[in-house]
Amino acid sequence: QVQLVESGGGSVQAGGSLRLSCTAYGYADSLTLMGWFRLAPGKGREGVATIYTGGGNTYYADSVKGRFTISQDNAKNTLYLQMNSLKPEDTAIYYCAADYRARRSAAIESYGLSTSEYNHWGQGTQVTVSS
């Protein structure tokens, strides 16, 4: 089992930046997939960015490509989401997610952007972007 703890959320003006962190406690070395999701008022949980921990391949939602960067620090068991050029529509609760299962192919797994690919979730951190 793994426990995921997010940090780094907050309030920022449009055009600003934030970096979210997610530290994995427990059997973090065995994780095969990690990702960031967000939940905005009135919307479903949206996959934002994912990383396949074995090969390091990353994938992004179209809405954040070129603005957000997902990365991992294996030594610290920490996942990051660097968010630049933030927009008011990025306002949401951001969740870290992780999974241990053997991966198939990224294409079959919706590039990790589907909630069904994860069994472990953090508690979420609020990001608010004002115009």
Side-chain angles (χ1 to χ4, degrees), residues 5-12 17-23 34-39 48-49 64 67-73 77-84 86 90-97 123-129:
V5 179
E6 300 108 331
S7 61
S11 298
V12 65
S17 299
L18 284 173
R19 188 177 79 157
L20 305 182
S21 300
C22 171
T23 300
M34 297 191 75
W36 289 98
F37 287 72
R38 64 187 181 187
L39 182 63
V48 174
V64 306
R67 300 189 298 122
F68 290 10
T69 303
I70 188 172
S71 62
Q72 60 182 358
D73 184 334
N77 290 331
T78 299
L79 182 73
Y80 300 101
L81 184 67
Q82 177 66 45
M83 305 185 294
N84 298 329
L86 282 161
D90 294 319
T91 295
I93 300 173
Y94 283 73
Y95 296 89
C96 174
Q123 81 287 353
T125 185
Q126 177 71 46
V127 171
T128 302
V129 185

Side-chain angles (χ1 to χ4, degrees), residues 32-79:
T32 57
L33 177 66
M34 297 191 75
W36 289 98
F37 287 72
R38 64 187 181 187
L39 182 63
K43 297 185 177 180
R45 194 168 295 199
E46 175 192 20
V48 174
T50 69
I51 185 166
Y52 282 71
T53 60
N57 292 333
T58 59
Y59 301 93
Y60 297 90
D62 288 343
S63 57
V64 306
K65 279 181 183 175
R67 300 189 298 122
F68 290 10
T69 303
I70 188 172
S71 62
Q72 60 182 358
D73 184 334
N74 292 330
K76 297 181 179 180
N77 290 331
T78 299
L79 182 73

